[in-house]
Amino acid sequence: MKRLEDFRRVPLGVFPTPIQRLDNISRLLGTNVYVKRDDMTGLGLGGNKTRKLEFLLADAIDKGAELVFTTGGAQSNHAMLTAAAAGRLGLKAVLVLKKRGVTDIAGNLFLEKLMGTDVRFVDTDDYQDIYDEMDRIAAELGLKAYKIPMGGSNALGTLGYVSCAEEISRQGIHFDHLICAEGSGGTMAGLALGAKFFLPGTRVHGMMVDASDFTPVTLSLMKEAAALLEADIEISEKDFDLRRVWGEGYAIPSKEGNAAVEMMAANEGIFLDPVYTGKAFSGLIAMAEEGAFKPDDKVLFLHSGGAGGLFAVH
Ligand SMILES: *Cc1c(COP(=O)(O)O)cnc(C)c1O
């Protein structure tokens, strides 16, 4: 099996991110709740995509790319962080975003304006239209392009969260449960695969913030990332749990999600976001209410960021 160190990374973030016990929330929920502060990854306003981009942009540079494309919704945190990282590395970034959600110059689009990012919108629900538009732009600019998929969720990006699982294992606390938001799948797949290597006895739960079937997505990302690592390991749907927290749909704030954002803000001075982490934390609260955690369990919540969208999506 290969080691994570065998894959080139460009340093973009500040690692390890802290793990903190949430004393007030632990008291309220009757278990031991900790947070992994990936909202403090050190690029832009923080967030999970930095770990993926360290692998993806190293690959882009190795392949001689001059131009980096990515996509997502109008308020994509991933797209904003890709532009921030590309700027630091001297690569041109073009964000080809779906004209869906909040398209005003607010939130992540405001941050992109500050960075002078080239943002284009395509009025479509079909990612094929977006990738076609990227090919057109690359030909027009005459630059060698590297396409990063939505959310940075391919096998290489997934290694960012395999690496996060290794980082957690070195931080000295054994967790019974590890809980994260699942949007495009790479974060959860990386943690679930990484847990098999580095976090024995830790159950990984993905909180689905988008109304799609994540079991096949998670399994294929886990398998593809394991293949990159040349790991001879059995992967099945028993390796993770999924829970629906999307409410009325992706990027539509929910009552439970907003209550979780407020609970975290009021009790711990930590800001979640309504699209990903608030909904994910509402799933953790629901599990606590259902008695899924014992009083002496240790539950780790991955704070995957999202601050950029907080000021645009309410
Ligand atoms: C993208 C994102 C997620 C989801 O991660 P995936 O790897 O896409 O599943 C969670 N939280 C925030 C803040 C994000 O931007």
Side-chain angles (χ1 to χ4, degrees), residues 1 3 43 49 60 69 95 142 147 151 154 166 169 207 219 234-235 241 251 255 260 262 267 274 296 306:
M1 182 182 157
R3 294 166 315 148
L43 176 72
K49 303 312 181 313
F69 285 114
L95 309 181
K147 289 181 199 155
N154 57 15
E166 183 186 43
S169 77
M207 299 293 172
L219 284 174
E234 187 102 13
I235 286 159
D241 291 320
K255 188 163 69 59
E262 287 166 23
N267 288 286
D296 58 355

Side-chain angles (χ1 to χ4, degrees), residues 46-49 52 75-78 81 150-153 161 180-189 209 214 250 273 275-277 302-307:
N48 59 340
K49 303 312 181 313
K52 302 177 178 186
Q75 287 295 330
S76 168
N77 302 304
H78 161 70
L81 284 175
M150 177 193 47
S153 284
Y161 272 85
C180 67
E182 176 143 21
S184 63
T187 300
M188 156 75 179
V209 302
F214 277 101
Y250 176 71
D273 78 292
V275 179
Y276 294 97
T277 53
L302 179 83
H303 188 340
S304 44

Side-chain angles (χ1 to χ4, degrees), residues 128-143:
Q128 195 51 51
D129 296 338
I130 300 260
Y131 293 113
D132 291 347
E133 178 65 7
M134 289 177 182
D135 289 337
R136 208 192 53 70
I137 296 168
E140 181 186 291
L141 296 176
L143 295 174

Side-chain angles (χ1 to χ4, degrees), residues 37-313:
R37 298 294 304 268
D38 271 15
D39 58 322
M40 296 173 60
T41 44
L43 176 72
L45 300 181
N48 59 340
K49 303 312 181 313
T50 304
R51 291 187 191 270
K52 302 177 178 186
L53 289 165
E54 288 201 340
F55 287 92
L56 292 164
L57 291 174
D59 188 43
I61 291 168
D62 286 347
K63 294 199 164 123
E66 302 154 299
L67 166 63
V68 174
F69 285 114
T70 198
T71 184
Q75 287 295 330
S76 168
N77 302 304
H78 161 70
M80 186 276 284
L81 284 175
T82 302
R88 259 182 52 184
L89 298 171
L91 295 165
K92 178 172 170 59
V94 178
L95 309 181
V96 185
L97 305 178
K98 284 203 288 191
K99 201 170 180 180
R100 295 291 178 269
V102 179
T103 54
D104 310 337
I105 302 297
N108 283 303
L109 286 166
F110 175 70
L111 300 176
E112 285 150 17
K113 181 167 180 270
L114 295 183
M115 295 188 286
T117 309
D118 188 340
V119 178
R120 323 263 179 123
F121 285 109
V122 182
D123 193 353
T124 183
D125 284 312
D126 183 353
Y127 275 106
Q128 195 51 51
D129 296 338
I130 300 260
Y131 293 113
D132 291 347
E133 178 65 7
M134 289 177 182
D135 289 337
R136 208 192 53 70
I137 296 168
E140 181 186 291
L141 296 176
L143 295 174
K144 187 164 166 43
Y146 185 89
K147 289 181 199 155
I148 297 176
M150 177 193 47
S153 284
N154 57 15
L156 192 60
T158 297
L159 293 188
Y161 272 85
V162 176
S163 156
C164 180
E166 183 186 43
E167 182 178 298
I168 293 167
S169 77
R170 285 199 249 100
Q171 287 179 289
I173 303 172
H174 171 78
F175 294 101
D176 302 284
H177 301 274
L178 170 54
I179 292 170
C180 67
E182 176 143 21
S184 63
T187 300
M188 156 75 179
L191 288 174
L193 180 62
K196 289 173 77 79
F197 300 131
F198 306 113
L199 301 170
T202 302
R203 189 79 197 144
V204 180
H205 308 263
M207 299 293 172
M208 301 180 282
V209 302
D210 194 352
S212 51
D213 185 1
F214 277 101
T215 303
V217 175
T218 309
L219 284 174
S220 61
L221 284 170
M222 286 177 77
K223 286 177 184 163
E224 288 163 26
L228 267 188
L229 288 164
E230 296 171 9
D232 186 15
I233 192 169
E234 187 102 13
I235 286 159
S236 82
E237 37 194 283
K238 296 196 197 88
D239 292 329
F240 52 86
D241 291 320
L242 294 173
R243 188 182 180 101
R244 300 169 171 222
V245 295
W246 62 69
E248 281 175 48
Y250 176 71
I252 304 170
S254 67
K255 188 163 69 59
E256 295 79 6
N258 289 353
V261 171
E262 287 166 23
M263 180 186 191
M264 185 69 93
N267 288 286
E268 303 290 350
I270 294 174
F271 296 105
L272 302 174
D273 78 292
V275 179
Y276 294 97
T277 53
K279 284 182 177 174
F281 199 73
S282 77
L284 186 155
I285 296 169
M287 286 177 71
E289 286 167 357
E290 290 161 10
F293 311 129
K294 294 194 266 316
D296 58 355
D297 274 357
K298 291 193 168 76
V299 181
L300 181 60
F301 178 72
L302 179 83
H303 188 340
S304 44
L310 187 57
F311 300 95
V313 185

